[in-house]
């Protein structure tokens, strides 16, 4: 049985962008401001460092059991930390393999940037993937290998197709407060941010501003 | 219950050095020549690529159940492939954590380059670590971050201390056929090689030459 989670404002951490502040401090402030779920991502850390980072973020979220914690790529780290979920990209372990390791109770997210990649997720047995990360909506310096940008219309089309088969959808890539409403208006279930929170001098305030824009975009979507 | 394995000639794979030959082809030839156990190591591969590589090597070893297969660092990959063991270094997941994921039946190797690092392994509950990789005996271009060289005398001292507490010992770092006898004569249970097999035009012949030198070194050790 998977835990429920709120994908509205999904923070992906970046250790370098958060520095010199510890990632866990940025996470704590961002969650106070309205981040609803957190993924620990650090492609340059060793597995040992990533486990330490994940546990530090977990400790920062100890009083927020409503905030689901995901680990990027590292299934072993997620299992050891007892994280709520794992998020994998197209180059990471295939979702069916990850699900075999995770068992039935943890969340699994999968990045898709095209209909062909969404089809990979759709072809898997029901219950393999819970969430698809759709992007990049815009190109972004935090993930230079992420492929060409979908734009809001491309994200909307992928999100509709993904929601139709029951996936939770979040959109990622270049989203900041000036664009969050536009992304939310595409009908995705949530908006992912990296730099917009990790580089913010005040991550609490940054999260509040993003939440406000997401609400505005959702309202626009509802009245269309 | 751990499977028995023969550490005598322990091959660590290197995808770049084996190229353009597939790693699995080099492994098959090397095992025919006398390699007794194989570790799949590729620090540049994605987890998805590493899983594919591990399964290819496993397929090459299908008719050699006597040859134990280890995966470097990636516990998730080892579990998915059903490898016999995992080998971790000082920067990878800590051995106690790896053992928790592996369960009691798989092998766990751990790299040590000093008495202090061996003490980490000795402080763990019995049955956590099965094998220690001692090195580098000599510095080596295949692992430039491996620290300063122990030399044969340093390797001998560490091996004696490790064997005294029941660890299987292998020595690694710069070992080729011209040095294998000297390493074997330190009293280690096995000799690890990377380049000496992966760059060899004839990995079968290279393994035979190494085995012959190991036998010679062991004889010298026995009659000391």
């Amino acid at each position: 049985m998977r835990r429920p989670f709120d994908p509205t404002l999904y923070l992906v951490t970046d250790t370098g962008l958060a520095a010199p502040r510890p990632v866990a401090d940025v996470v704590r402030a961002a969650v106070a401001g309205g981040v609803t779920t957190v993924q620990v991502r650090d492609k340059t850390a060793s597995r040992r460092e990533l486990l330490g980072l994940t546990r530090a973020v977990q400790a920062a979220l100890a009083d927020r059991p409503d905030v689901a914690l995901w680990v990027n790529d590292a299934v072993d780290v997620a299992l050891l930390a007892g994280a709520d979920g794992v998020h994998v990209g197209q180059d990471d372990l295939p979702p069916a393999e990850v699900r075999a390791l995770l068992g039935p109770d943890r969340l699994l997210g999968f990045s898709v940037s095209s209909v062909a990649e969404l089809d990979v997720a759709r072809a898997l047995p029901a219950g393999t993937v819970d969430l698809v990360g759709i992007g990049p909506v815009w190109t972004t310096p935090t993930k230079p290998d992420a492929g060409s940008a979908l734009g809001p219309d491309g994200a909307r089309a992928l999100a509709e197709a993904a929601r139709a088969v029951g996936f939770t959808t979040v959109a990622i890539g270049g989203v900041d407060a000036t664009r969050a409403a536009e992304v939310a208006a595409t009908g995705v279930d949530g908006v992912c941010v990296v730099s917009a929170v990790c580089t913010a001098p005040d991550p609490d305030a940054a999260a509040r501003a993003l939440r406000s824009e997401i609400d505005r975009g959702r309202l626009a979507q509802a009245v269309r």
Side-chain angles (χ1 to χ4, degrees), chain A residues 169-186:
Chain A
T169 56
V170 292
I172 188 165
V175 184
D176 61 14
T178 69
R179 287 162 158 178
E182 186 178 5
V183 175
T186 65

Side-chain angles (χ1 to χ4, degrees), chain A residues 167-204:
Chain A
F167 295 133
T168 298
T169 56
V170 292
I172 188 165
V175 184
D176 61 14
T178 69
R179 287 162 158 178
E182 186 178 5
V183 175
T186 65
V188 291
D189 300 302
V191 171
C192 288
V193 292
V194 188
S195 323
V197 164
C198 291
T199 66
D202 183 344
D204 180 323

Side-chain angles (χ1 to χ4, degrees), chain A residues 24-116:
Chain A
D25 289 0
V26 171
V27 166
R28 191 182 293 106
V31 166
V35 159
T36 58
T37 192
V38 177
Q39 179 192 131
V40 176
R41 183 169 80 185
D42 189 334
K43 292 288 197 187
T44 65
S46 71
R47 291 278 155 143
R48 179 177 292 220
E49 291 165 339
L50 189 65
L51 179 60
L53 176 62
T54 301
R55 286 184 169 149
V57 170
Q58 203 165 31
L61 296 175
D63 61 346
R64 291 298 302 268
D66 56 312
V67 176
L69 177 66
W70 310 69
V71 175
N72 184 273
D73 178 18
V75 185
D76 39 18
V77 169
L79 289 171
L80 284 170
D84 299 299
V86 171
H87 187 92
V88 290
Q90 298 283 325
D91 293 335
D92 300 327
L93 289 173
E97 310 270 11
V98 176
R99 174 56 68 198
L101 283 176
L102 285 182
D105 295 336
R106 291 180 206 276
L107 298 164
L108 178 54
F110 182 53
S111 300
V112 301
S113 62
S114 64
V115 172

Side-chain angles (χ1 to χ4, degrees), chain A residues 120-143:
Chain A
V120 172
R122 287 195 282 202
L124 295 166
T128 305
V129 167
D130 300 294
L131 170 146
V132 292
I134 293 168
V137 187
W138 292 280
T139 54
T140 161
T142 63
K143 207 155 197 301

